[in-house]
Amino acid sequence: MKVTIIGSGYVGLVTGACLADLGNEVLCLDVDAAKVAMLSEGRVPIHEPGLDDVVQRNVAAGRLRFSVDPVEAGRHGKVQFIAVGTPQDEDGSADLQHVLAAARQVGRHMDGWRVVVDKSTVPVGTAARVRAAILEELQVRGADLSFSVISNPEFLKEGAALEDFMRPDRIVVGSDDEKATAVMRQLYAPFERNHSKLMVMDVASAELTKYAANAMLATRISFMNEMALLADALGADIDAVRRGIGSDRRIGSHFLYAGCGYGGSCFPKDVRALARSAAVANVPMRLLNAVDAVNERQKHVLIDKVERRFGADLHGRVFALWGLAFKAGTDDVREAPSQVIARELCRRGAVVRAYDPVAEGQARRVLDDVSGLEFVNSAMAALHGADALVIVTEWKEFRSPDLERMRSQMRTPVIFDGRNILEPAAARAAGFEYSGIGRP
């Protein structure tokens, strides 16, 4: 099947590469000529495990192409995926300007019946706005062409996106058009061989499903972070609590890890956008507002621990910062706790030596205004002469470090573990003062 993907960012590129890998002819459209040139050579501008191999393989096979030409894109695919960004607007809502611009572009250049698929995370009612934008362009052209607009939200985890796409838990399709639904069934037929993954529902329900899923996961994280603060106060171990409640099949074990807060391009933005949509509908989301507030507070928990140990004035202090990405497996630093922690430590006069195996480039761009922040090329280099280590990202290489060597590098053997990845007893046996999140 011929497929056009409008937007070759994270979602668009993964979607396009995986559909091409299934034998489809995919054209990815982007406005960034430099990015298109890079991708056309098989080079991937983002860090996602395995993605570069899939892109290179399908570019070489001719199934995956990239273009800046909207005319070519509009005429190529019977299925037109809109996979552009929906950044947070000033009032917390999703900014749909790029989605609607993509829709107008489809209307200007389509030359036959099209299935227009909202892949971007968008609020309820967006499909109707996309439909109106396309109709407006067709009327300007005087073109009598039919089309369908459906919702097919993505459920990709950064760091595991290929696995999520190729082995999905479910494929949600919001459609009120049988012909369009049949096309989507054909497109996703390779995933239906063992048992049905496709869930067809009305468009509004599909749009809401994506937001509800992310809001639920964010809620679990913030709940455990609240419990971790209580565990700190009461002398309980949040890791033991996690195992205790996670063994209950009604609850399950996923997204129950306490830490220094969630980040990334999805959870913070989507929780706020859903709350904003609810407010517009006059249905206040008190729980979602609390989830967001708890998370923002949690990003300061390690700073509070540092202050209790070293005081508010950190001039002359050096802190090693392990991890800049909001989670392991990605170079994404958007809304990452590391940004808050690095800025606050440096604001108080400290020198921060930061190391991340893949996210340094992205972090340099967003933290280039921070005086006192240095980037180093290894975890051990960050520790040299440090008064304390602050662990912010749960990279595998941080899980079993040489504690004796670490202690020999540091001026003061203190660890603030924002992801609870070290064993407290082992750290203390090696001579460290260890402080985790909700761990006695």
Side-chain angles (χ1 to χ4, degrees):
M1 188 180 298
K2 290 187 175 182
V3 176
T4 292
I5 311 285
I6 303 174
S8 58
Y10 182 82
V11 172
L13 184 56
V14 170
T15 300
C18 289
L19 289 176
D21 215 35
L22 295 171
N24 297 288
E25 297 178 40
V26 179
L27 177 66
C28 291
L29 176 71
D30 203 279
V31 297
D32 187 336
K35 182 195 289 186
V36 166
M38 175 186 290
L39 289 166
S40 297
E41 296 172 357
R43 294 183 293 123
V44 177
I46 60 175
H47 178 83
E48 179 60 40
L51 181 58
D52 50 353
D53 291 336
V54 179
V55 170
Q56 289 164 12
R57 179 167 65 245
N58 286 282
V59 167
R63 292 188 298 268
L64 179 61
R65 296 187 297 115
F66 300 90
S67 175
V68 295
D69 184 356
V71 177
E72 180 185 19
R75 294 176 178 175
H76 172 79
K78 177 167 66 175
V79 180
Q80 300 264 327
F81 280 92
I82 296 178
V84 296
T86 53
Q88 180 176 300
D89 214 335
E90 292 181 359
D91 62 358
S93 63
D95 184 348
L96 297 179
Q97 63 172 316
H98 303 302
V99 171
L100 298 178
R104 286 190 286 270
Q105 191 168 268
V106 172
R108 280 194 291 269
H109 303 297
M110 59 187 281
D111 59 358
W113 181 74
R114 295 290 183 267
V115 180
V116 181
V117 184
D118 285 336
K119 197 70 173 172
S120 303
T121 300
V122 294
V124 174
T126 298
R129 297 181 64 182
V130 167
R131 184 178 292 109
I134 296 172
L135 277 174
E136 184 179 333
E137 291 297 332
L138 290 174
Q139 289 168 358
V140 170
R141 292 170 55 190
D144 184 18
L145 299 173
S146 61
F147 64 95
S148 296
V149 178
I150 68 173
S151 174
N152 175 217
E154 54 86 14
F155 298 95
L156 306 177
K157 297 188 298 292
E158 292 192 48
L162 295 186
E163 177 73 10
D164 287 344
F165 193 98
M166 301 304 274
R167 299 178 183 274
D169 295 326
R170 76 293 204 196
I171 301 169
V172 173
V173 172
S175 172
D176 55 8
D177 183 306
E178 291 185 4
K179 184 179 178 181
T181 302
V183 170
M184 298 307 287
R185 289 190 186 279
Q186 180 185 351
L187 183 64
Y188 287 122
F191 303 108
E192 297 279 280
R193 291 181 178 177
N194 292 328
H195 57 85
S196 180
K197 302 289 183 68
L198 204 69
M199 296 182 179
V200 180
M201 59 187 73
D202 62 276
V203 174
S205 296
E207 291 172 331
L208 184 57
T209 294
K210 168 61 177 180
Y211 275 116
N214 279 356
M216 171 62 80
L217 297 175
T219 298
R220 287 170 70 96
I221 295 171
S222 281
F223 173 81
M224 289 304 292
N225 283 336
E226 288 256 273
M227 290 297 103
L229 297 182
L230 182 60
D232 264 337
L234 300 179
D237 187 341
I238 195 63
D239 198 48
V241 174
R242 174 188 62 80
R243 294 194 302 271
I245 66 174
S247 62
D248 187 327
R249 285 177 293 180
R250 297 170 301 174
I251 297 173
S253 60
H254 296 295
F255 288 83
L256 293 181
Y257 289 87
C260 52
Y262 60 74
S265 63
C266 294
F267 286 6
K269 172 177 68 71
D270 292 352
V271 166
R272 294 167 194 154
L274 182 55
R276 177 60 184 168
S277 292
V280 171
N282 199 30
V283 183
M285 295 277 104
R286 297 178 181 86
L287 178 59
L288 290 187
N289 291 328
V291 166
D292 186 41
V294 167
N295 187 61
E296 291 306 303
R297 180 189 64 187
Q298 199 69 14
K299 294 178 182 181
H300 294 268
V301 166
L302 290 180
I303 297 296
D304 295 340
K305 289 176 178 288
V306 168
E307 182 174 330
R308 285 195 293 270
R309 175 60 177 80
F310 293 103
D313 185 355
L314 300 178
H315 285 86
R317 300 288 186 183
V318 177
F319 290 88
L321 188 68
W322 280 7
L324 294 162
F326 84 93
K327 61 179 279 188
T330 180
D331 62 351
D332 193 345
V333 299
R334 285 173 288 185
E335 301 251 9
S338 63
Q339 290 199 48
V340 173
I341 293 166
R343 288 183 182 279
E344 188 61 22
L345 290 175
C346 290
R347 187 187 70 80
R348 298 181 181 213
V351 170
V352 174
R353 294 201 190 104
Y355 167 71
D356 190 287
V358 302
E360 179 184 331
Q362 297 293 340
R364 282 183 180 275
R365 279 188 277 275
V366 299
L367 295 171
D368 63 350
D369 61 324
V370 180
S371 176
L373 176 61
E374 304 172 359
F375 296 92
V376 296
N377 59 11
S378 73
M380 284 296 168
L383 295 173
H384 184 69
D387 292 284
L389 165 64
V390 182
I391 303 175
V392 184
T393 311
E394 66 279 18
W395 288 104
K396 287 182 178 179
E397 68 179 85
F398 301 157
R399 292 180 179 273
S400 298
D402 185 337
L403 292 170
E404 296 296 336
R405 184 183 173 200
M406 288 171 58
R407 187 182 178 192
S408 71
Q409 296 290 313
M410 299 175 67
R411 182 161 59 191
T412 312
V414 178
I415 296 175
F416 299 101
D417 187 354
R419 295 300 176 189
N420 290 345
I421 60 174
L422 299 183
E423 178 54 47
R428 290 174 184 134
F432 282 94
E433 294 178 41
Y434 174 89
S435 179
I437 306 291
R439 309 196 76 181

